[in-house]
Amino acid sequence: MPRKAKTGLDHFPFDTDLFSDIKVRKLIKYQSAKAVAIYAYLLCIIYRDGYYVKWDRELPFIISESLGFDEAFVREAIECMVRLGLFSENIYRDKQILTSRGIQQRYLRELSKLRRNGSVSEYSLLDSPHLATMKGSPLWLAKMKRDYRLNDDELNDLLDEWSKNVVAQDKHHASAQDAKRHFENWYRKIQESQEAGIGGVSVVQASACKKNNKKQQGNEQQPATDRRRATRQLTATAQDYKTSF
């Protein structure tokens, strides 16, 4: 039985300016410095398994037992973290999930450094502000499909992956046109890496590139085949036709 692919991290970056963050400073003011220990503990739980943790009634007990704080204080501190924006309030209220845009960005950056494939699919907060405009540009989409021989699903998946990559690396674009140019350059680099046999591209990228390469190879091989057939016809002699068909 194959081993389950590892999704979590063994370590994660701890910013040296953490205590300069206005959200953390407010957390300390409202809940005391003990709340920072709870926040750090939650980050360890989250990154150990991926980029989020589901809230349940056992979580405050686990933290309380590990850190020696009262369960009621743990609940109050986490609620304060959510209100301050250290975790996404919308996802927490709707799905009982603790995560944030920053957590997801750091998770993808660390996976990239480790040359491990991974994605943020569930509860994603990573979308380029220009993604909707790009997906709503029929002329540009038609050009991309024609130029790179992509179908609708392949192009849509690539746009989603590009968007998450952009946000994870904290890149910004001045306009949707600038974002489109960046997407095309990004995809061309993926094709070049695939052709050079360089690892590290995702399944979506590799699949699309492989299909595109096969189409290009097929188009390149066709004229050569025709030339070989023409050569055989030109070199035939009368001797070749003595036997009956």
Side-chain angles (χ1 to χ4, degrees), residues 124-138:
S124 174
L125 297 167
L126 304 181
D127 272 329
S128 165
H130 300 293
L131 182 62
T133 301
M134 295 166 73
K135 287 187 174 184
S137 304

Side-chain angles (χ1 to χ4, degrees), residues 114-127:
L114 295 169
R115 293 186 176 276
R116 282 170 46 193
N117 288 330
S119 64
V120 172
S121 51
E122 287 187 293
Y123 318 116
S124 174
L125 297 167
L126 304 181
D127 272 329

Side-chain angles (χ1 to χ4, degrees), residues 87-152:
F87 297 110
S88 169
E89 186 165 9
N90 290 337
I91 291 182
Y92 176 70
R93 303 296 181 205
D94 294 343
K95 307 291 185 180
Q96 289 74 57
I97 293 294
L98 291 171
T99 189
S100 72
R101 184 186 177 99
I103 287 171
Q104 294 177 8
Q105 287 177 319
R106 286 190 292 273
Y107 172 71
L108 289 180
R109 279 199 296 266
E110 290 305 303
L111 287 184
S112 177
K113 291 177 185 177
L114 295 169
R115 293 186 176 276
R116 282 170 46 193
N117 288 330
S119 64
V120 172
S121 51
E122 287 187 293
Y123 318 116
S124 174
L125 297 167
L126 304 181
D127 272 329
S128 165
H130 300 293
L131 182 62
T133 301
M134 295 166 73
K135 287 187 174 184
S137 304
L139 293 178
W140 178 75
L141 292 173
K143 177 182 179 297
M144 289 298 301
K145 288 186 287 186
R146 182 184 67 249
D147 291 352
Y148 296 98
R149 297 180 176 86
L150 297 167
N151 62 38
D152 290 333

Side-chain angles (χ1 to χ4, degrees), residues 154-165:
E154 288 169 342
L155 181 54
N156 187 69
D157 289 343
L158 283 165
L159 282 167
D160 287 338
E161 188 159 347
W162 167 84
S163 174
K164 290 177 174 57
N165 181 270

